[in-house]
């Protein structure tokens, strides 16, 4: 583990890990964009007043969440490849598979965020002449955003880690695939342990700060929800009778 020669071998092939990291970040970025689009659409469908839309959203979420992302990626890659579609790269497969998979989880985060806003606020908005879209945009979503932010960041972390599941779909593209190729390589296999350590360290450097941000936001939101009640002291120069009279007068104003 502390063999300088093996670490030197890792350094010599550092471009392998750099290329893998870039591919992983690209896959995660575009996969996240796709997941957000799918999540928003399905999340709104899940909170729609139309039963058919809610049913479609529920079926999608249950199917995707209850099947492994690796199985979905393999099915997608080989189904498209055997269909004769040209130019469908492993990177594209990873983006689509991760987008579809995490879109289901993001939709649930959005659904729970929307449903956490009291219905009375929506009803009050309707009574003031707001339509459904205006109510969602001006009343519901601003309150939903702060609620869903921490779990959304956690989904980003999970998405980045799940890029490691793509190494079976179509060859070495992502960081784990490149790391594994280094570990089993004819001239580099002797430094397999060092290679896997470097791969793990890179993932940790990417994911740990995001996890800390999510944890910090979550704690901050909880602190805002629990505000201390300030009790004003009764001035020494006011008698109890005078204080009761002031309270009665204030109550009469309402």
């Amino acid at each position: 583990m502390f063999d300088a020669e093996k670490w030197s071998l890792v350094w010599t092939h550092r471009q392998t890990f750099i290329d893998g990291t870039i591919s992983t970040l690209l896959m995660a970025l575009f996969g996240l964009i796709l997941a957000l689009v799918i999540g928003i659409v399905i999340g709104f469908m899940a909170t729609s007043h139309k039963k058919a839309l809610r049913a479609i959203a529920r079926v999608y979420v249950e199917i995707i969440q209850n099947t492994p992302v690796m199985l979905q990626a393999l099915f997608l890659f080989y189904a498209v490849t055997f269909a004769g579609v040209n130019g469908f790269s492993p990177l594209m497969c990873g983006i689509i598979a991760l987008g579809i998979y995490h879109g289901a989880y993001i939709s649930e985060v959005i659904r729970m965020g929307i449903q956490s806003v009291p219905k009375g606020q929506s009803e009050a908005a309707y009574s003031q002449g707001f339509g459904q879209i205006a109510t969602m945009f001006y009343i519901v979503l601003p309150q939903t955003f702060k609620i869903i932010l921490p779990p959304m960041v956690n989904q980003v972390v999970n998405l980045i880690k799940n890029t490691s599941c793509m190494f079976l779909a179509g060859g070495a593209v992502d960081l784990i695939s490149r790391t594994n190729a280094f570990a089993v390589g004819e001239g580099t296999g002797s430094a397999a342990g060092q290679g896997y350590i470097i791969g793990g360290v890179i993932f940790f450097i990417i994911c740990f700060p995001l996890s800390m941000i999510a944890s910090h936001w979550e704690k901050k939101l909880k602190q805002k929800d629990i505000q201390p009640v300030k009790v004003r002291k009764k001035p020494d120069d006011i008698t109890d009778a005078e204080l009761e009279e002031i309270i009665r007068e204030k109550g009469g104003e309402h």
Side-chain angles (χ1 to χ4, degrees):
M1 191 61 65
F2 299 100
D3 191 330
E5 185 178 348
K6 293 180 180 180
W7 284 109
S8 176
L9 191 60
V10 172
W11 175 253
T12 301
H13 292 81
R14 60 188 179 278
Q15 194 61 43
T16 297
F17 299 94
I18 294 173
D19 292 342
T21 302
I22 293 173
S23 295
T24 288
L25 292 177
L26 286 175
M27 190 186 300
L29 174 61
F30 289 103
L32 176 62
I33 293 172
L34 179 59
L36 286 172
V37 173
I38 294 175
I40 291 171
V41 172
I42 300 298
F44 283 169
M45 289 173 61
T47 56
S48 172
H49 297 304
K50 297 182 179 180
K51 188 175 181 180
L53 293 179
R54 295 199 306 271
I56 293 172
R58 192 73 255 154
V59 169
Y60 169 79
V61 169
E62 292 297 338
I63 291 176
I64 298 300
Q65 287 190 350
N66 290 287
T67 53
V69 62
M70 186 178 293
L71 176 64
Q72 296 171 21
L74 289 171
F75 173 79
L76 175 64
F77 181 79
Y78 288 109
V80 173
T81 301
F82 291 151
V85 178
N86 296 322
F88 189 68
S89 65
L91 180 61
M92 182 63 67
C93 174
I95 291 171
I96 296 174
L98 290 172
I100 293 174
Y101 183 76
H102 285 278
Y105 286 90
I106 289 176
S107 71
E108 285 293 274
V109 172
I110 293 174
R111 178 185 65 82
M112 290 186 289
I114 292 174
Q115 292 180 344
S116 67
V117 178
K119 290 184 179 180
Q121 297 190 22
S122 298
E123 293 171 355
Y126 295 147
S127 67
Q128 295 298 318
F130 282 80
Q132 184 176 358
I133 297 178
T135 299
M136 183 67 67
F137 187 78
Y138 291 107
I139 306 298
V140 178
L141 290 183
Q143 300 179 72
T144 301
F145 182 74
K146 67 177 184 179
I147 297 172
I148 68 175
L149 202 54
M152 286 287 281
V153 177
N154 287 328
Q155 281 302 313
V156 174
V157 174
N158 290 333
L159 188 150
I160 294 172
K161 291 189 293 186
N162 279 339
T163 59
S164 62
C165 296
M166 301 301 116
F167 81 101
L168 289 179
V173 176
D174 61 286
L175 176 58
I176 291 299
S177 299
R178 299 292 180 92
T179 302
N180 190 64
F182 172 86
V184 300
E186 183 176 350
T188 57
S190 60
Q194 287 77 3
Y196 286 126
I197 289 174
I198 291 298
V201 167
I202 293 173
F203 267 105
F204 181 82
I205 291 173
I206 296 172
C207 296
F208 181 70
L210 293 174
S211 298
M212 293 302 296
I213 290 172
S215 178
H216 173 72
W217 280 341
E218 191 170 1
K219 289 179 181 178
K220 196 171 182 180
L221 289 174
K222 288 181 179 179
Q223 289 174 355
K224 286 184 178 180
D225 292 337
I226 306 175
Q227 294 290 344
V229 179
K230 296 182 178 180
V231 180
R232 299 179 62 184
K233 293 183 179 180
K234 178 176 73 66
D236 295 335
D237 58 346
I238 297 180
T239 64
D240 291 340
E242 290 173 335
L243 183 60
E244 291 178 3
E245 182 65 25
I246 292 173
I247 293 173
R248 282 195 297 271
E249 290 177 357
K250 292 294 182 180
E253 292 177 0
H254 298 286

